[in-house]
Amino acid sequence: MAEGTGGPGGGESLLFLTDEQLRKGIEAMFFAYRGFTADPDRILEGMDYGRAHHRAIHFIHRSPGTTVNNLLSILGVTKQSLNRVLRTLIEDGLVESRVGRQDKRERHLVLTEKGAALERELSDAQRARMRAAYRAAGPAAVQGFRQVLEAMMDPQLRRQYQTLKETGS
Amino acid sequence: MAEGTGGPGGGESLLFLTDEQLRKGIEAMFFAYRGFTADPDRILEGMDYGRAHHRAIHFIHRSPGTTVNNLLSILGVTKQSLNRVLRTLIEDGLVESRVGRQDKRERHLVLTEKGAALERELSDAQRARMRAAYRAAGPAAVQGFRQVLEAMMDPQLRRQYQTLKETGS
DNA sequence: CGGTTTATGTCAGCCTTGTTGACTTTCCAA
DNA sequence: TTGGAAAGTCAACAAGGCTGACATAAACCG
C-alpha cells in the first residue's frame, strides 16, 4: 500500500481511483445519507409529514415566491406528486400560494410563519449534524467534500445547484 | 459570527461553519445523491428490480455468505421488507440461500453467476460516475470527501461502515 | 428432556411517495 | 381568437417502507 504523490514519474498517484477506493466512497455515500436524513425524519414522524414535505419546505424557504413549475424542476418529481404534498401544506397553513402579479397563471409559494417555524426546526437539526461533521473534518476536508459532490451531480442538476448556491449567499 | 480560531494571530477561519456554508453542503448532498443513484436506477428500470434489490445485491457481493440478520442490520429495514426483495432474487436465481453449517438456522447468502453479472453491471455504472467525480476533484478532495461523510454517519452506522471498509481491502 | 430463545419466513394490511393518463380552468401571447 | 402554458385534480397503480401476528426449525440452557 501507500505510494506517495511523487512516484518515479512525478505525476500524482492514481491509487485513489482503484475500484476498492471507489467502493468505499459508494458505501460512505450510502451510510452518510442515512445520517443526513435521520434527524429531520425523526422530527417529522408523528406529524403527518414526511421527507417529501421537508424537501418542499426547504426549497420554498430557500427561494421564497418560487413558482410551482420551478419547484417541480428542482425536486424532479411529477406535478401530481408535488401537488399532493403542497395541498396538505397549504391546507395546514404552512405554505401560502399567491397568484402571480404579472402572470396570473403562476402561483408563488411562500412559507407562513407556521411554515417557517417548522423549517427552522428541521434545518436546525440537519445543520447541527452537518456542523459537527464539518468541524470534525476541518475546512480543507469540507472543500474536498463539496468538490466531489458537485462533480458527482448530473450536469443539469449541477447547474440548478450552482444557481441556487449563488443566490442568497 | 465569524472570528477565526486564533483571531488575527493565525488560526483557521471558522467561516466554513456558517449557516450559509452548511446549507450549501446540505443541498450538495441532496443533488449529489440523485446523481449517485441515477445510473443503477436507469439500468434496473424495466427489469422487475429497484433500488432495494440493488442494495441487497451490493452487500451480498460485498460480504459473500453473510446471514439474513447481518444484512438486515446493514440495510436498516425490517425483515419483512428485506424478505420481499430476497425472495424474488432467490426465485430468479440471482442469489443462493445456503443453510448454515454450524448453525442450521442461519441462511448464508451468495450471488450466483447470474447475480454476480448484474452486480457487475450495476457497480460498473456507479463506479464510472464515482471515478469521474474523483478524477475531476483530485486525491486531496477525495480524502476530505470521505472524512466529512464518515463524520456525518450515526455512530452505529459508522462502526458498520468501518468494519466493512477494512474487510476486503 | 423440556422450555426458551434465536433465525428465518410468511400472511395481511397499511402508509408514503413516486408514476401515468386524462381532463379542466385560467390566462398569456402571437 | 386561438394555441399553448401553468396549475390543479381524479383515478389507478407500483415500489418499498412499516406493524402485528404467527409458524417452523434449530440451538441453547437448566
Side-chain angles (χ1 to χ4, degrees):
Chain A
M1 262 293 171
E3 171 77 35
T5 309
E12 300 189 338
S13 160
L14 291 179
L15 282 179
F16 75 111
L17 291 175
T18 61
D19 282 1
E20 192 54 34
Q21 291 297 312
L22 295 168
R23 199 215 68 220
K24 286 180 191 169
I26 287 168
E27 290 175 354
M29 273 298 277
F30 173 71
F31 288 115
Y33 199 78
R34 295 248 294 271
F36 174 68
T37 57
D39 304 310
D41 282 357
R42 232 185 319 271
I43 292 171
L44 289 166
E45 92 178 0
M47 309 197 197
D48 281 352
Y49 306 128
R51 210 176 282 182
H53 300 83
H54 180 195
R55 291 199 280 258
I57 287 173
H58 174 97
F59 286 107
I60 293 171
H61 167 77
R62 185 71 193 74
S63 309
T66 185
T67 64
V68 174
N69 253 350
N70 194 354
L71 201 50
L72 278 177
S73 85
I74 287 171
L75 296 176
V77 298
T78 59
K79 103 187 132 151
Q80 294 91 328
S81 205
L82 175 59
N83 195 256
R84 179 164 38 200
V85 165
L86 277 184
R87 202 185 321 172
T88 70
L89 291 176
I90 291 170
E91 279 171 3
D92 296 352
L94 302 189
V95 168
E96 193 185 340
S97 169
R98 297 180 182 155
V99 173
R101 290 179 177 276
Q102 296 110 7
D103 189 333
K104 293 183 189 167
R105 291 172 305 179
E106 295 178 341
R107 300 299 136 90
H108 298 282
L109 303 169
V110 287
L111 295 182
T112 63
E113 188 38 59
K114 192 173 162 193
L118 178 55
E119 192 285 329
R120 237 171 286 128
E121 189 181 354
L122 294 170
S123 69
D124 279 356
Q126 200 161 36
R127 270 201 305 273
R129 182 184 292 255
M130 212 67 175
R131 188 177 297 112
Y134 272 23
R135 197 189 301 274
V142 167
Q143 198 192 346
F145 166 72
R146 291 257 304 276
Q147 280 172 9
V148 174
L149 288 186
E150 204 159 327
M152 203 183 306
M153 298 175 195
D154 271 342
Q156 189 205 341
L157 293 179
R158 186 178 311 127
R159 260 175 269 124
Q160 295 208 344
Y161 167 73
Q162 284 166 342
T163 304
L164 222 46
K165 196 174 61 168
E166 288 149 20
T167 67
S169 173
Chain B
M1 262 291 173
E3 176 71 38
T5 308
E12 300 184 340
S13 160
L14 290 178
L15 284 179
F16 75 111
L17 291 175
T18 61
D19 282 1
E20 192 54 34
Q21 292 296 313
L22 295 167
R23 200 215 65 218
K24 286 179 190 169
I26 287 169
E27 291 175 353
M29 274 297 279
F30 173 71
F31 288 114
Y33 199 77
R34 295 250 294 271
F36 174 68
T37 56
D39 305 310
D41 282 357
R42 231 184 321 271
I43 292 171
L44 289 166
E45 93 178 359
M47 308 195 196
D48 280 352
Y49 306 129
R51 209 176 282 181
H53 300 83
H54 180 196
R55 291 198 280 258
I57 287 173
H58 174 98
F59 285 108
I60 293 172
H61 167 77
R62 186 72 193 76
S63 309
T66 186
T67 64
V68 174
N69 252 351
N70 194 353
L71 201 49
L72 278 177
S73 86
I74 286 171
L75 296 176
V77 298
T78 59
K79 101 186 135 152
Q80 294 91 328
S81 208
L82 175 58
N83 194 256
R84 178 165 41 198
V85 165
L86 277 184
R87 202 188 319 172
T88 70
L89 291 176
I90 292 169
E91 279 170 3
D92 297 353
L94 302 189
V95 168
E96 194 186 340
S97 170
R98 298 179 183 155
V99 173
R101 290 178 176 278
Q102 296 110 7
D103 190 333
K104 294 183 189 166
R105 290 172 305 179
E106 295 178 341
R107 298 301 134 91
H108 298 283
L109 305 169
V110 287
L111 295 183
T112 62
E113 188 40 58
K114 193 175 162 193
L118 178 56
E119 192 284 328
R120 238 172 284 128
E121 190 182 352
L122 293 170
S123 70
D124 279 355
Q126 199 162 36
R127 271 200 306 272
R129 181 185 293 256
M130 213 66 177
R131 189 178 296 111
Y134 272 22
R135 197 190 301 275
V142 167
Q143 198 192 346
F145 166 72
R146 291 257 303 275
Q147 280 172 9
V148 173
L149 287 186
E150 203 159 327
M152 204 182 306
M153 299 175 195
D154 271 344
Q156 190 205 339
L157 293 179
R158 187 178 309 128
R159 261 175 268 126
Q160 295 208 344
Y161 167 73
Q162 284 166 342
T163 304
L164 223 45
K165 195 175 63 169
E166 288 151 20
T167 67
S169 173

